[in-house]
Amino acid sequence: MERDYLTNLLPLHLFLREADKILKNNPDCRYAVTVTDLSNFKYINDLYGMAEGNRTIQEMAEKFFSGNPRCILASRPYADQFRSLIAIGDVSQDEEVAIITNMNTEFTEYIQKRYPNIYFHVYTGLYIIEDNSEGIRSACDKAHFAKKCFKGNLSVTCGIFDSNAYKDSSNVMRLTHEFQSARERDSVYVYYQPKCSASTGEFIGAEALGRIADKDGNIISPGEFIPVLERTGIIGDFDDIIMEKTFADIRRWIDNGGNVKPVSLNISRIQFLKPGLIDKILALQKKYDIPSRLIELEITETTFIESVDFIDDTARELRRHGFTIDVDDFGSGYSSLSLIATLPADTIKLDCSFARQCLDNDKGVILLSGIINILRSIGFDIICEGIETECERQRIMELGCDKIQGYYYDRPMPSASFEEKYITKQ
Ligand code: C2E
Ligand code: CA
Ligand code: CA
């Protein structure tokens, strides 16, 4: 059988083939997969020469794999990186981690003595296969993932696979892919939710809320994909699409002689960190010829609080151009009232869960009423989100907040339905 010239271990394709055979033929035996590498290995080549680098790789192979009776198969896919299949018998996960940690520490000490000018750390990702029919490729991916999760953490030398972190990370991949393909299929949509006067029910504005559809046309909820796009930074691209589609919708509504009211857009924190947000908005305004009074920009309370100076300057500039700034989700974070007082904003949107919690008991009602009064006397306009019932509408109106957005009036709906129901003049 073909072998690696340096270590006599199997090349990767044979390792995978043979490991799969073993797993298939021994469904009841317990196995683990490891992915191991030596940090700063390349400096051995650089400082001591290739021959010393090769010697180190051979010694690693001998110590961990060919000379290790528990190791059944191993491979060196490249440089100093190794994969192995280990028969673990009745050894528990903690015991296995301890065995590997021991070996890694011994080897690190040994190699450190020989090359004192380089700092070494052996990293092993460990995955204990739960069901042998899973196959070796998936098991290797998981061991690799386990290693990636703690790489850089010098206090650990063997990391065990964490299925929750893995699910989370595959979720990031899936939703990022879902967004990219929705974008290619032009399946990123804007839904609109009306804002209404609590006393008269009159339609006074709307919030634009982004949606993506999968290839079967099912709508994926923003609660699911927005936090992921925020983490990867792609949210900026998403917001750009929503912004342009909203401007285009408003233009069409104006051209059709509709009952057009201000529309608010959610601006994520990352949009402020990239240069050019103001220019982008101004360019869209010019392209679609939209009066500034029809555009509101929602910035969450947390965004404001976390990066005050930077965001404040941008918000001030946007207001100078005539746009309205809303502080979104007020009450959901830990803001200081003195800080809120100086925010360059026009409207405060009371967070739905905060408002609902307050309306739930007498003291909460007093608190909410006080907050509404204070915010109004400072000069803010107030809107309450998430109003669902007649009772909530009545109470919030009595507390002095006349603008509401919530399921009580309507859920967010596709652009065409919204246009028909609210914009087109009867
Ligand atoms: P948000 O900005 O606080 O938007 C309001 C959310 O409350 C919307 O959820 C809306 O459907 C929901 N809602 C409205 N009325 C009620 C009600 O009466 N009861 C309850 N329980 N919920 C109500 P949605 O559309 O699922 O959006 C969730 C979040 O995703 C938004 O929260 C916003 O943070 C984010 N988001 C949505 N679209 C965009 C976007 O285009 N860009 C960015 N950056 N974020 C967006
Ligand atoms: Ca919002
Ligand atoms: Ca909100």
Side-chain angles (χ1 to χ4, degrees):
M1 215 183 276
E2 198 187 328
R3 295 278 170 174
D4 172 29
Y5 75 102
L6 260 187
T7 60
N8 210 30
L9 298 176
L10 290 175
L12 186 61
H13 65 284
L14 292 183
F15 167 79
L16 295 172
R17 192 185 74 189
E18 294 304 308
D20 260 339
K21 270 193 214 157
I22 293 171
L23 292 177
K24 200 168 157 209
N25 295 336
N26 302 280
D28 298 326
C29 294
R30 291 178 72 234
Y31 297 98
V33 171
T34 65
V35 173
T36 297
D37 67 27
L38 177 65
S39 69
N40 292 338
F41 163 75
K42 70 185 174 67
Y43 294 117
I44 303 180
N45 285 336
D46 292 351
L47 297 180
Y48 297 93
M50 286 288 278
E52 287 298 302
N54 287 349
R55 179 180 164 202
T56 306
I57 285 177
Q58 282 164 340
E59 285 174 343
M60 256 183 109
E62 167 66 24
K63 163 118 188 130
F64 294 110
F65 312 111
S66 34
N68 174 0
R70 300 172 69 240
C71 172
I72 300 182
L73 285 176
S75 172
R76 182 178 70 105
Y78 46 84
D80 62 322
Q81 198 180 99
F82 295 88
R83 280 158 206 222
S84 77
L85 181 71
I86 305 173
I88 58 171
D90 292 334
V91 168
S92 72
Q93 177 175 295
D94 288 350
E95 285 164 348
E96 191 57 43
V97 171
I99 294 171
I100 294 175
T101 302
N102 245 335
M103 282 201 299
N104 288 1
T105 312
E106 270 175 30
F107 188 77
T108 311
E109 283 168 7
Y110 165 72
I111 206 89
Q112 192 71 67
K113 271 197 200 114
R114 195 158 75 212
Y115 308 115
N117 296 332
I118 306 170
Y119 177 81
F120 293 106
H121 192 79
V122 179
Y123 286 100
T124 299
L126 172 68
Y127 172 62
I128 294 178
I129 301 176
E130 278 165 21
D131 172 355
N132 293 357
S133 67
E134 170 177 6
I136 190 69
R137 279 171 201 276
S138 155
C140 282
D141 280 352
K142 290 177 179 171
H144 199 270
F145 179 78
K147 181 172 75 97
K148 208 173 70 184
C149 284
F150 80 96
K151 187 124 201 198
N153 178 351
L154 296 177
S155 61
V156 182
T157 179
C158 175
I160 185 83
F161 174 73
D162 173 348
S163 62
N164 286 333
Y166 189 69
K167 270 190 211 128
D168 202 39
S169 118
S170 13
N171 217 15
V172 169
M173 275 179 336
R174 180 179 65 82
L175 289 166
T176 307
H177 171 78
E178 208 62 83
F179 165 60
Q180 300 292 17
S181 71
R183 167 151 76 173
E184 279 157 25
R185 282 182 276 110
D186 194 18
S187 297
V188 176
Y189 302 108
V190 188
Y191 274 34
Y192 294 93
Q193 186 178 31
K195 299 172 184 173
C196 297
S197 156
S199 50
T200 65
E202 186 199 351
F203 161 59
I204 54 170
E207 175 172 7
L209 293 155
R211 297 286 184 269
I212 59 179
D214 68 14
K215 63 179 183 338
D216 300 323
N218 302 314
I219 296 294
I220 305 173
S221 139
E224 197 183 337
F225 69 84
I226 296 232
V228 169
L229 300 190
E230 271 170 350
R231 262 162 56 193
T232 56
I234 307 239
I235 189 71
D237 295 10
F238 177 76
D239 280 352
D240 286 352
I241 299 174
I242 298 300
M243 222 187 266
E244 172 124 26
K245 286 187 183 261
T246 303
F247 273 80
D249 279 346
I250 299 176
R251 180 74 255 152
R252 197 181 59 253
W253 298 339
I254 297 174
D255 288 345
N256 293 343
N259 177 27
V260 187
K261 301 289 179 189
V263 176
S264 57
L265 286 156
N266 290 285
I267 309 286
S268 60
R269 191 172 171 275
I270 201 120
Q271 291 278 70
F272 286 95
L273 303 177
K274 293 200 296 192
L277 174 64
I278 298 174
D279 290 346
K280 204 184 304 175
I281 294 173
L282 293 177
L284 284 175
Q285 176 178 37
K286 194 164 166 213
K287 179 171 172 190
Y288 293 98
D289 189 19
I290 307 293
S292 305
R293 66 177 170 78
L294 290 181
I295 301 293
E296 292 184 21
L297 302 160
E298 297 196 6
I299 304 167
T300 64
E301 177 191 39
T302 325
T303 300
F304 263 121
I305 305 301
E306 278 173 1
S307 11
V308 173
D309 289 347
F310 198 64
I311 308 280
D312 276 17
D313 293 346
T314 313
R316 258 189 214 100
E317 181 72 17
L318 286 165
R319 287 177 93 200
R320 263 199 293 279
H321 287 285
F323 303 107
T324 303
I325 303 289
D326 300 353
V327 181
D328 197 5
D329 298 343
F330 178 85
S332 64
Y334 302 95
S335 50
S336 99
L337 275 177
S338 62
L339 210 141
I340 292 293
T342 57
L343 285 186
D346 307 273
T347 301
I348 305 282
K349 286 191 95 173
L350 296 176
D351 177 57
C352 77
S353 51
F354 171 69
R356 190 161 304 125
Q357 220 177 330
C358 289
L359 290 175
D360 201 35
N361 62 84
D362 292 347
K363 285 183 183 165
V365 170
I366 298 172
L367 178 73
L368 190 56
S369 151
I371 289 177
I372 291 175
N373 279 331
I374 294 171
L375 293 173
R376 285 181 65 191
S377 18
I378 295 172
F380 288 118
D381 204 3
I382 319 251
I383 176 162
C384 189
E385 286 192 273
I387 296 298
E388 291 183 357
T389 62
E390 168 57 21
C391 172
E392 286 171 354
R393 181 197 70 87
Q394 188 74 34
R395 297 196 82 176
I396 200 81
M397 189 176 70
E398 283 163 11
L399 295 182
C401 173
D402 189 52
K403 298 184 174 175
I404 58 183
Q405 178 184 339
Y407 296 169
Y408 175 75
Y409 287 110
D410 250 321
R411 290 186 176 240
M413 63 188 90
S415 176
S417 325
F418 177 75
E419 182 172 353
E420 196 183 320
K421 188 162 179 191
Y422 289 94
I423 305 289
T424 307
K425 286 223 169 100
Q426 310 298 325

